[in-house]
Amino acid sequence: MNLPEEYILRMKSLLKDEYDEYIASFDDERLYGIRANTLKTDRDEFLNKGLYELEPVQWCEEGFYYNGADTRPSKSPYYHAGLYYLQEPSAMSTGAAADVREGERVLDVCAAPGGKSTQVGAALKGKGILVTNDISASRTKALLKNVELFGLRNAVVLNESPDRIASAFPSFFDKVIIDAPCSGEGMFRKDPDIIKAWGKNMIDSCLAAQRDILERCASAVCEGGYIIYSTCTFNPDENERQIEAFLERHKEFELCPLPENMGLDRGRPEWTVSKDEKFTLCGRLWPHKTRGEGHFVAKMRKTSGMERMTFNGHENAKIDGFEYFEEFINKNVSGVEFDGDFETYGEKLYMLPKGLPSFKGLRVVRNGWYLGDLKKKRFEPSQAFAMGLKPENVRLVENIKDYDTAVKYLKGETLETELKEDGWVLVSFDGLALGWAKSQKGRLKNKYLPGWKWE
């Protein structure tokens, strides 16, 4: 591993006797992580499927290691059913530290490609609000797909700057997750290409971005709410010292302990300006001490400020053709609460969580659960709608049990069916929704989203 000399000198100074152990960890094999979608399964059920040889990740109950050298979980119908998410094990620590509860409001401000959003979105259990955002328009495409693949019904996807989000959502969130842009030193082992971009200019740029995001997001948290800040770097300037400077500017925030059962190494007060022992409350993951890449996480509570705000920026208005959606639901769907605010964009119909502010002036990628399209005198359900349903919610279901037939469906092929009735059919694999089809005279006309087709 060809590490920059400046980096080597700094790490030797920081780690001292641990440095040789750290360098030796570069010879260890890369680790692969998989996280079960608890909206569609539970931990025991997931393990009982026996899909892969799995070992538990200590800091994430639904997270596991798998042998990525010999298996490709992304090439499986289970992946396309949103049963799990593939994520570097250490990166699961941020979502776990957030400890999201059902009904909370959460902002994931630097979210793409969606690992933490899918993790906390599942923890919300369909209640509360998830606003997931990335400032990069291109990266929000992957973010949106993962949100929909996981079946998140209560998520809003934005492509905005933190300051514009904070202005639109003052004192709104119970938890704000900032997985900040960083110099990526913790990923050197996993992705050596990151080393080429490393240097003073990059670090300075990251420091400025981190400071700005923290500053903007402070006002989006309500009294009693939390900021969860993380990076995948070792640099104290981007970690303990960044948090130290934020707390100096914002006396209304305090550091909170992380759960001991996560098994994280303590933060390093000796690397701060103040040397205050409270910085041991931060958490670190080191590749020479645990099974994961480098990671840092800190959790801060807002002890004073404005109370939690609620808005009415999306009150239901009359929607032309809404009766066709209602007809579709009455005929095909049961056991699902449609208790949000309905909006249309063109012919597309969405259901938004209640209590949101107006989105006027914001770049919105997806403003809620995309249900489908209001066509002329009919409603056509969307792929996102299918992924948020379970087979027991739909009257006509084609449950595929074998791998090859599932792949044919995912490739967009027409299938044979024994269903006697024509109409909209939810196609599932092993009891997990894959998408829609239309039964016609013993055949299933494939309605799987073309952009998601199996390649």
Side-chain angles (χ1 to χ4, degrees):
M1 186 68 65
N2 187 21
L3 296 170
E5 185 62 28
E6 183 183 349
Y7 176 75
I8 291 172
L9 291 173
R10 174 157 62 76
M11 293 303 287
K12 281 183 176 179
S13 173
L14 292 173
L15 293 177
K16 298 181 172 58
D17 294 342
E18 293 181 47
Y19 178 77
D20 290 340
E21 270 187 273
Y22 164 66
I23 288 297
S25 72
F26 280 91
D27 295 327
D28 296 338
E29 290 186 3
R30 176 186 165 182
L31 295 161
Y32 296 83
I34 188 169
R35 202 188 69 249
N37 181 356
T38 54
L39 286 175
K40 302 192 177 189
T41 188
D42 58 39
R43 190 178 189 275
D44 291 340
E45 183 182 51
F46 183 67
L47 287 172
N48 289 337
K49 287 185 180 293
L51 299 181
Y52 313 105
E53 291 185 14
L54 303 176
E55 298 178 56
V57 172
Q58 181 178 352
W59 45 87
C60 179
E61 184 179 354
E62 67 274 21
F64 304 89
Y65 302 96
Y66 74 95
N67 185 347
D70 298 332
T71 57
R72 295 186 66 191
S74 62
K75 285 293 183 180
S76 167
Y78 285 112
Y79 176 81
H80 292 267
L83 180 64
Y84 49 74
Y85 186 90
L86 303 179
Q87 186 178 27
E88 196 283 310
S90 290
M92 300 177 189
S93 62
T94 306
D99 191 25
V100 168
R101 305 298 175 90
E102 183 177 336
E104 291 184 330
R105 301 173 184 168
V106 182
L107 167 64
D108 186 359
V109 73
C110 307
K116 295 165 185 67
S117 285
T118 53
Q119 187 175 4
V120 302
L124 288 172
K125 299 179 181 178
K127 305 295 183 183
I129 299 171
L130 170 63
V131 176
T132 178
N133 172 76
D134 202 274
I135 199 167
S136 165
S138 60
R139 284 168 58 83
T140 57
K141 294 177 182 177
L143 172 61
L144 173 60
K145 181 177 179 179
N146 284 318
V147 163
E148 293 187 339
L149 198 64
F150 244 55
L152 303 186
R153 302 177 180 179
N154 54 331
V156 173
V157 182
L158 301 180
N159 167 219
E160 265 303 346
S161 60
D163 61 317
R164 288 172 66 87
I165 294 174
S167 296
F169 295 85
S171 193
F172 184 81
F173 295 102
D174 300 295
K175 285 168 183 167
V176 173
I177 295 171
I178 304 172
D179 188 34
C182 69
S183 56
E185 296 166 359
M187 295 291 112
F188 282 0
R189 180 175 69 172
K190 177 184 172 184
D191 186 2
D193 287 343
I194 296 175
I195 299 170
K196 299 173 186 176
W198 186 90
K200 185 178 185 304
N201 289 341
M202 178 194 187
I203 294 170
D204 287 347
S205 175
C206 290
L207 287 169
Q210 292 156 8
R211 186 187 189 281
D212 182 66
I213 295 169
L214 278 164
E215 199 66 24
R216 302 300 183 181
C217 287
S219 63
V221 183
C222 67
E223 182 181 3
Y226 297 83
I227 288 178
I228 298 90
Y229 173 89
S230 66
T231 72
C232 57
T233 199
F234 302 121
N235 190 342
D237 288 339
E238 301 177 64
N239 295 327
E240 286 94 345
R241 289 176 199 154
Q242 187 70 267
I243 297 301
E244 181 180 37
F246 174 79
L247 293 173
E248 278 296 311
R249 298 192 303 272
H250 292 274
K251 304 297 185 183
E252 73 274 23
F253 282 87
E254 64 179 9
L255 265 174
C256 302
L258 300 169
E260 289 187 13
N261 62 3
M262 290 181 67
L264 306 188
D265 199 32
R266 67 176 182 85
R268 300 294 186 95
E270 63 271 26
W271 296 344
T272 64
V273 175
S274 65
K275 313 298 189 222
D276 194 318
E277 284 296 310
K278 70 184 177 187
F279 292 102
T280 58
L281 297 175
C282 301
R284 281 181 174 268
L285 287 162
W286 298 94
H288 62 288
K289 289 186 171 186
T290 191
R291 299 184 63 201
E293 306 304 327
H295 211 74
F296 171 89
V297 62
K299 187 172 184 177
M300 297 173 285
R301 180 174 180 269
K302 192 171 188 178
T303 58
S304 62
M306 291 174 60
E307 293 183 358
R308 192 178 193 246
M309 298 284 285
T310 296
F311 299 90
N312 293 303
H314 301 269
E315 292 181 326
N316 288 333
K318 179 173 171 51
I319 294 173
D320 291 337
F322 190 76
E323 66 270 21
Y324 302 119
F325 167 71
E326 292 177 309
E327 287 174 10
F328 178 90
I329 297 303
N330 291 335
K331 183 177 181 180
N332 298 287
V333 179
S334 62
V336 179
E337 290 185 31
F338 296 95
D339 55 356
D341 290 323
F342 292 95
E343 285 189 349
T344 54
Y345 186 79
E347 63 183 16
K348 298 183 184 301
L349 177 67
Y350 302 89
M351 187 180 75
L352 292 67
K354 284 190 174 293
L356 286 164
S358 169
F359 293 158
K360 187 177 181 180
L362 295 177
R363 292 190 296 269
V364 181
V365 179
R366 185 59 46 85
N367 60 343
W369 192 14
Y370 171 35
L371 299 170
D373 297 346
L374 294 169
K375 303 283 189 177
K376 187 176 182 181
K377 295 188 176 180
R378 73 184 191 277
F379 171 79
E380 290 194 0
S382 71
Q383 182 69 36
F385 189 19
M387 301 310 291
L389 298 174
K390 296 180 179 180
E392 57 263 35
N393 299 137
V394 183
R395 187 171 60 88
L396 296 179
V397 177
E398 182 75 16
N399 187 27
I400 299 170
K401 295 181 180 178
D402 67 284
Y403 181 95
D404 291 340
T405 305
V407 171
K408 285 181 180 179
Y409 172 77
L410 292 167
K411 286 184 174 181
E413 297 180 19
T414 298
L415 304 179
E416 303 295 322
T417 181
E418 295 182 2
L419 290 170
K420 303 302 182 186
E421 187 177 348
D422 291 349
W424 284 97
V425 177
L426 183 71
V427 180
S428 67
F429 174 70
D430 193 18
L432 299 160
L434 289 177
W436 296 105
K438 237 184 164 181
S439 61
Q440 294 177 336
K441 299 180 180 179
R443 295 171 70 81
L444 290 177
K445 186 178 180 182
N446 200 308
K447 295 291 184 177
Y448 191 66
L449 184 67
W452 285 19
K453 283 183 181 177
W454 183 294
E455 299 293 340

